Structure formats: C-alpha cells, structure tokens
Amino acid sequence: MRNNDELLSAAFERSELVIKKKSSFRKRAVACVSVIAVVTAITTAVFVGRVDFREIALSNSEMVSDVISNTENSFVLKVGAEEITPNKGVSLTFKNGSSASLGGSSEDGNVKYCISSAGFICEGKGIESVTYSINKGAFAVIEAHEDSGSLITSGSMYEGDTDFPGLWSKNLNNYTPETIDTKYYTKYTLDYSSQQSDRLCINVCGEVFDEAIYNKVFDSTNTPETKAEGNTELMKGVEITCTAHYSDGTSDSVTVVIECETMTIEELGYPIAPDDDPHRKEATFVYKLK
C-alpha cells in the first residue's frame, strides 16, 4: 500500500494530465496568466484538504472550467455603450448621447459645469449593487419617481451650492413633471439592474473660481486646443469612483478622471451643415481611468 506522499504525488500527476487535456483551460491560460496562478493555488488547497485522494475534485473535467470561471470577480465601466479601458477613454459625443453645459461669471472667474455621465454603466457577473462617489462637486440625479419610490437605495447628499447649469434626458419627457425631482449626491448606490433606467438622468456638476481657466474656456477667440486645455484644468482633481458589490460579499472599484481633448465634428458624430467643415475641431470632455 502506498503512503500519503505517494498518493499526493500521483494525485498531482492526474490533475496535471486533466488540465493539459482541457483545450478550454489552455485558451484561458494564454489570455490570462494570473488565472493559472489562482487555479494552481486552488488545486493545491483541494489536494491538501482531502483525506481520500481518490475523491479529488479536479478528476472531474467539468470542475476545471468551473474553477477557472469563478476565480475572480471583475467588471467593466462604460459611458453609454463604450467601455473605458486603460488605453482608451470615452469622449462625450453625439453618438453616445453625451453633452456638457458650462456657465460662469467674468467678475470673479467663476466657472460652473454640468457634464453628462451618459448613465455610467458597470457591467459584470454576480453584481448586486453599484456605488458611485465623487470627491469634488456633486452628482445631479434627476429622477422620475414611480409609486413614490426611488431607484437610489442609499446615498450621501451634497451640501454646497447647487446653482449649476442643467442637462436633461429626453427619456424623462415620458413622465409627468410632478413625478420628477433633482437631488445632489456626493455618493449614491443603486441596484445593478437600475443603472440603465429611463427614469434616471445623472450628471457631474461643480464649480471653480479661477480667472485664467475662465478666460481659456469662454474667450471666443481661443483655439479649440486652448479651450480643451482650460477644460482639463477645470476638472483637475475631480475623481469618480465606481464600486461593484458582488453577491459573494466582495467588492471591487475603479476610479475615473475627466479631461478634455479636441475632435473633429465628424468624429464627434454631430450633424454637419452643408457649409460646415467636417474637419473643424471642437473641445470635448473625456472620461478616463485613473
């Protein structure tokens, strides 16, 4: 009869054979080396914890894919239908229904902004709820209420001045005015399935007192590049954090910043008048991962 060390060695050999034969595992291994490390750790724990090595879970080929698919919770953050990635931000365009509104006063260099979030969308598996928080300014949450209920399950209210420019979602036109209100939050939580509701219009709002920024943003003689520079300075230090709460009790977060760049009106997807130049540039805000 073999001792436990021999059984353990044999078990490892059987598990390696199963894993090598699984083409789906090899494909995932090429795509994500970190998954291999996680699976290796899990299989080791399984072997050590078993008394009867003949019952090792990985002898079942179906368990291999189950272990791989459940090794890590993850999500992607989108603005409209476009995903924000480490290598590519999402610009506010006509296509994704985004827009921005700016206002201010030349007397004190005050610039107020309202930037559409195009309904931030956190997508992933096993997510129960999502929390959005902002470190400067506020979220303007315009919501049509049904049966006096709110899609926002919890939140922290913004306590500063709320005289910001406004943006509206055409979907709210389907609701009667008396059912619609606007509240300002620094943090809010809603159920995963509520993120894309037609009842919500959520914007990022704030203000800055800086004459140099005011001049860059509002001087009509400035180039689009100068305006984009001013808008980037306007949003400096603003961070938006998205936290996904999973059904297994864990959570994960990403942080987004807002900058500005120039794009042609053709790239932005704007309707182009016959006498307009499709290559004419405009400054547009961009959501990027920090």
Side-chain angles (χ1 to χ4, degrees), residues 28-39:
R28 288 179 179 269
V30 172
C32 184
V33 176
S34 63
V35 171
I36 297 177
V38 174
V39 173

Side-chain angles (χ1 to χ4, degrees), residues 55-76:
E55 296 179 1
I56 292 174
L58 289 183
S59 64
N60 183 339
S61 61
E62 292 182 358
M63 277 297 292
V64 175
S65 61
D66 289 343
V67 169
I68 295 171
S69 64
N70 290 286
T71 55
E72 183 180 4
N73 289 325
S74 63
F75 69 89
V76 298

Side-chain angles (χ1 to χ4, degrees), residues 70-131:
N70 290 286
T71 55
E72 183 180 4
N73 289 325
S74 63
F75 69 89
V76 298
L77 183 62
K78 295 182 176 181
V79 176
E82 298 183 68
E83 178 185 345
I84 309 175
T85 70
N87 299 320
K88 183 180 181 299
V90 176
S91 304
L92 275 67
T93 67
F94 185 81
K95 179 180 179 181
N96 62 29
S98 299
S99 58
S101 179
L102 302 176
S105 169
S106 59
E107 294 181 2
D108 52 11
N110 170 232
V111 182
K112 296 186 177 184
Y113 57 85
C114 182
I115 304 172
S116 168
S117 68
F120 280 124
I121 303 168
C122 166
E123 287 190 354
K125 293 183 178 180
I127 301 175
E128 288 190 339
S129 63
V130 183
T131 298

Side-chain angles (χ1 to χ4, degrees), residues 17-289:
L17 181 60
V18 170
I19 292 175
K20 288 178 181 178
K21 288 183 179 181
K22 292 297 294 180
S23 61
S24 62
F25 178 84
R26 291 198 302 271
K27 291 178 182 178
R28 288 179 179 269
V30 172
C32 184
V33 176
S34 63
V35 171
I36 297 177
V38 174
V39 173
T40 301
I42 292 175
T43 57
T44 302
V46 170
F47 286 128
V48 173
R50 297 277 188 183
V51 175
D52 185 352
F53 290 103
R54 291 171 298 179
E55 296 179 1
I56 292 174
L58 289 183
S59 64
N60 183 339
S61 61
E62 292 182 358
M63 277 297 292
V64 175
S65 61
D66 289 343
V67 169
I68 295 171
S69 64
N70 290 286
T71 55
E72 183 180 4
N73 289 325
S74 63
F75 69 89
V76 298
L77 183 62
K78 295 182 176 181
V79 176
E82 298 183 68
E83 178 185 345
I84 309 175
T85 70
N87 299 320
K88 183 180 181 299
V90 176
S91 304
L92 275 67
T93 67
F94 185 81
K95 179 180 179 181
N96 62 29
S98 299
S99 58
S101 179
L102 302 176
S105 169
S106 59
E107 294 181 2
D108 52 11
N110 170 232
V111 182
K112 296 186 177 184
Y113 57 85
C114 182
I115 304 172
S116 168
S117 68
F120 280 124
I121 303 168
C122 166
E123 287 190 354
K125 293 183 178 180
I127 301 175
E128 288 190 339
S129 63
V130 183
T131 298
Y132 294 95
S133 62
I134 190 167
N135 66 332
K136 292 174 64 176
F139 295 109
V141 178
I142 309 171
E143 180 180 13
H145 297 270
E146 293 182 345
D147 300 324
S148 301
S150 174
L151 296 175
I152 305 301
T153 58
S154 65
S156 300
M157 305 303 297
Y158 175 71
E159 297 181 353
D161 178 21
T162 59
D163 185 23
F164 301 116
L167 293 174
W168 188 260
S169 170
K170 63 180 181 181
N171 294 325
L172 292 175
N173 293 333
N174 297 322
Y175 299 90
T176 57
E178 58 268 20
T179 66
I180 300 173
D181 65 19
T182 301
K183 294 181 179 179
Y184 295 87
Y185 295 88
T186 57
K187 179 170 69 175
Y188 67 92
T189 299
L190 71 174
D191 291 340
Y192 178 73
S193 60
S194 299
Q195 295 179 99
Q196 295 177 279
S197 173
D198 288 346
R199 292 169 52 190
L200 287 176
C201 174
I202 301 176
N203 305 311
V204 175
C205 300
E207 65 180 329
V208 170
F209 289 86
D210 189 305
E211 291 186 8
I213 292 177
Y214 178 91
N215 292 331
K216 286 182 179 180
V217 170
F218 290 113
D219 190 335
S220 60
T221 64
N222 287 338
T223 64
E225 288 76 14
T226 298
K227 292 183 178 181
E229 181 181 306
N231 286 337
T232 296
E233 293 172 1
L234 176 67
M235 303 309 299
K236 184 177 181 180
V238 176
E239 297 182 357
I240 299 166
T241 300
C242 170
T243 302
H245 306 282
Y246 298 97
S247 56
D248 63 5
T250 62
S251 63
D252 192 18
S253 300
V254 297
T255 298
V256 173
V257 296
I258 306 174
E259 297 180 0
C260 193
E261 63 183 26
T262 60
M263 297 177 65
T264 67
I265 59 173
E266 185 176 49
E267 291 171 330
L268 290 168
Y270 293 158
I272 303 174
D275 58 346
D276 202 353
D277 179 5
H279 301 293
R280 176 172 59 84
K281 291 185 176 181
E282 292 281 353
T284 184
F285 289 100
V286 183
Y287 287 100
K288 294 183 177 182
L289 292 181

